[in-house]
Amino acid sequence: MVRVEPAWIDTHVHLDRYQGAERDAMVALAKVAGVAIVAVAVDLASSRVVAGLEGVAGCAVGVHPLRATGWAGEALRDLARMPGVVAIGECGFDGAGPDGAVQASAFRGQCELAREAGLPVILHIHGAGAWERLVEDADALSGLTVVRHYFTGDARQAEWHAERGHFVSFGRPLLREPGLQAVCRGYPAGLILVETDSYPLAGRTTEPRDVVEVGEATGGLRGWTPEEARERLYRNSLAAFPGLRFG
Ligand SMILES: [Zn+2]
């Protein structure tokens, strides 16, 4: 049988949040659309699930800042060694999360883990004060491959990431927000990724196959043909997550 590499990669999906037939249908539809999935965890329990998921190109194990209280570094260290794990995350800072010291400890611990395991780190930065906290603790990222997931920041934040060689990943907000479109036009071409951040939410129908729309919009903003956008974003995804496997 010929192995066909998927054309598009949704770099951020909470696939473990869907069950049974719904999950199977989502994976099947993504496959038909030529979309491969990176499944991302938010805590220890979901890390265990994503590490065992079939039908994905890779997964990320980690602890979301909203769930940082009592995070378990040792258990995560064991999971990070499992086959199919391509990143640590999502981790970072959230304005609605536990106090700053707790979030910083989980963030710094996961950066250390990423360094040990030779894996990239997926950053979640959201809400009041989250960006300032990241800047304060940015030394923890030094030497790591960094992916700023679901980028909705401003031009100043984008510049900060670009200077450090970080990847930024755009979701559907790119389709409607002029500020993000401007960031996408100017960001280093080799450091752009796309994602849907799919998870079950009442009234939201986004699923992994929708990443095609985001990828083509990226192409439109950059002056790339859809084919070129697909190839470039595919290469970028492999550069960000060298452990991705298809088949
Ligand atoms: Zn997420």
Side-chain angles (χ1 to χ4, degrees):
M1 213 168 116
V2 182
R3 273 194 171 185
V4 182
E5 290 194 333
W8 299 99
I9 300 174
D10 185 348
T11 64
H12 200 107
V13 181
H14 293 286
L15 196 61
D16 62 296
R17 301 280 308 277
Y18 303 91
Q19 315 289 333
E22 189 183 13
R23 183 196 288 168
D24 293 346
M26 195 168 269
V27 171
L29 286 170
K31 201 167 185 181
V32 169
V35 173
I37 292 171
V38 182
V40 180
V42 294
D43 59 18
L44 205 53
S46 80
S47 294
R48 290 197 178 100
V49 176
V50 298
L53 280 176
E54 293 190 3
V56 299
C59 70
V61 297
V63 176
H64 192 288
L66 292 177
R67 311 213 178 172
T69 305
W71 85 286
E74 283 311 312
L76 209 53
R77 179 171 284 113
D78 292 340
L79 284 166
R81 291 198 201 98
M82 287 184 65
V85 173
V86 301
I88 299 296
E90 59 187 294
C91 63
F93 296 95
D94 193 301
D99 80 57
V102 171
Q103 293 194 44
S105 155
F107 168 70
R108 299 188 73 90
Q110 289 179 84
C111 290
E112 201 45 52
L113 197 56
R115 192 167 288 106
E116 272 175 42
L119 292 171
V121 63
I122 299 176
L123 277 187
H124 165 104
I125 303 298
H126 184 76
W131 172 255
E132 290 73 15
R133 287 179 190 170
L134 172 69
V135 170
E136 229 168 81
D137 280 291
D139 62 296
L141 294 172
S142 93
L144 292 176
T145 298
V146 176
V147 174
R148 169 79 184 269
H149 122 79
Y150 210 75
F151 185 82
T152 52
D154 57 18
R156 192 176 50 93
Q157 291 188 18
E159 196 181 333
W160 188 91
H161 284 299
E163 277 169 4
R164 287 160 180 78
H166 296 172
F167 290 85
V168 297
S169 182
F170 294 101
R172 291 183 84 184
L174 182 70
L175 305 177
R176 55 181 185 266
E177 292 181 18
L180 287 181
Q181 293 168 352
V183 167
C184 182
R185 277 193 204 96
Y187 207 76
L191 297 175
I192 295 174
L193 304 174
V194 288
E195 65 172 79
T196 61
D197 194 20
S198 294
Y199 60 92
L201 183 68
R204 189 176 188 243
T205 58
T206 301
E207 58 176 293
R209 63 174 167 170
D210 298 327
V211 84
V212 175
E213 196 183 359
V214 182
E216 289 183 350
T218 300
L221 291 163
R222 301 293 306 212
W224 303 335
T225 64
E227 180 69 16
E228 192 184 356
R230 193 164 56 186
E231 283 175 19
R232 282 178 176 271
L233 294 168
Y234 176 75
R235 279 204 302 274
N236 291 355
S237 302
L238 284 172
F241 306 111
L244 291 176
R245 294 289 177 267
F246 310 99

